[in-house]
Amino acid sequence: MEKRTFIKLSTTLLAMPAIAPLASWVPDKKLKNWAGNLSYSTDRLHPASSVEQVREAVKKYPKLKVLGTRHCFNTIADSTDNLLSLNAMDKVVSLNEKARTVTVDATMKYGQLAPYLDKKGFALHNLASLPHISIAGACATATHGSGVKNGNLSTAVSAMEIVTAAGDVRTVSRANDGDLFRAAVVHLGALGVVTKVTLDMEPTFQMRQYVYENLPIAQLKEHFEAIVSGGYSVSLFTDWQKSRVNEVWIKQRIDKNAGPERGAATYFGATLAKKNLHPIAELSAVNCTEQMGVPGPWYERMPHFRMGFTPSSGTELQSEYFVPRRNAIDAILAVERLRDSISPHLMISELRTIDADNLWLSPCYKQPSLAIHFTWKQDWASVKKVLPLIERELAPFKARPHWGKLFTMAPAQLQSRYEKLAAFKQLVHEYDPKGKFRNAFLDTNLYGS
């Protein structure tokens, strides 16, 4: 498809409202993920609307995987045997104002929870680019937003309820379970079925968002830390061409007032946008969150896309690699050297920072990180040839791929990046001794050679 045709089609689809959640769960001959690049290996999708029904399904089926909002681009949630849908379990269970925690059903989406919390006077510390993802799924794969002092979404988890392979219900918490908790939060679906998640809250706050265009790479090399620290959350979008970052999205907390002065015309050589922009400049910004410094609630500024709309047609592929933030510039320049190989297949890249955490299988375990994200055209044959080039260039920095996105890294290399992997696999054996929740993805990437 020609670029102009693609842009026109995408813009049309961007204007369409989100499909009703229940409609997307009507089984058909081929269950697909959100992007449409993956057909699941079975259409045996079993619904559960209570913890007791989850326990019954877990006891009944020898092999089972949970299928959530289907935003993963690889087979991490796939099964050749049985899939379990908790789509009906998406309610707020309780809100503890004194402890500043909220407990929710696992399949609740951030876009559902955020307005509820705001009305109660509370907020989450961060959100991902898309508000349409489930809380349990996002935490299981260490999905993230941006901000030098912001941990990924999993770091807000203070407790989880899990149904194990034996059908037992266990609760693990930060307060009571130490290493067990740190191992279990980013669990990749290997420990059991998460039925409830408890998240930390903070008082609600207002934000504003500015977008700047054409940041010179030379400025990024000289002032990287200052640039990415210029707001509560900062995202850099680039197509790796013309020695520049196409767009800089700066999300400011009004109560903390970090970032460029209100309405500053330039930002490290980039110029203030004169209208709302889409991360892909050619596309309409109609479904993007409000920019131009207009104040608004935290949940209407931290995502890139508005809550009430499907952000794109979904016809894309995604990859992402995490490197230590101390290596950020060297890693960015290493990828830039591949621009002529990357650009023909790329829609846009996004650079974001994430603070370190202590969650065993988090890509940010013990290291403040830079995430280098690629949104690809949906051409896996071509992307599959480019990814090894990127992985080779990022190898000196011991890059860790996003668990839910596309990568070609050899299992032995991937495993070597996680110092607690052996201990995690021992925990998996304790929770799931017969491999009920194992699938090809886990067999290959956690156990393969």
Side-chain angles (χ1 to χ4, degrees), residues 272-312:
L272 184 65
K274 294 180 170 58
K275 62 178 182 179
N276 283 359
L277 295 178
H278 189 283
I280 303 172
E282 297 93 337
L283 298 186
S284 168
V286 63
N287 293 333
C288 293
T289 48
E290 188 67 42
Q291 300 156 35
M292 308 298 291
V294 178
W298 57 279
Y299 68 91
E300 291 184 353
R301 296 297 179 270
M302 276 200 287
H304 299 328
F305 298 99
R306 293 165 56 193
M307 297 280 184
F309 294 84
T310 301
S312 73

Side-chain angles (χ1 to χ4, degrees), residues 77-91:
D78 195 21
S79 174
T80 57
D81 300 280
N82 296 281
L83 296 167
L84 182 65
S85 166
L86 278 61
N87 205 45
M89 298 171 65
D90 64 348
K91 306 296 188 295

Side-chain angles (χ1 to χ4, degrees), residues 396-436:
F397 317 115
K398 297 183 178 180
R400 299 166 176 170
H402 191 298
W403 289 110
K405 297 180 182 179
L406 297 168
F407 56 89
T408 59
M409 190 175 292
Q413 189 177 46
L414 175 62
Q415 293 161 26
S416 72
R417 307 285 160 83
Y418 288 91
E419 63 182 80
K420 302 295 287 187
L421 183 59
F424 177 79
K425 289 193 286 189
Q426 179 58 42
L427 180 64
V428 171
H429 180 71
E430 294 172 11
Y431 269 58
D432 185 16
K434 295 183 180 180
K436 183 185 293 283

Side-chain angles (χ1 to χ4, degrees), residues 244-258:
R244 55 92 168 93
V245 169
N246 304 43
E247 298 176 12
V248 182
W249 287 44
I250 302 172
K251 301 168 189 285
Q252 297 179 338
R253 281 184 63 150
I254 293 175
D255 57 337
K256 295 187 177 180
N257 200 31

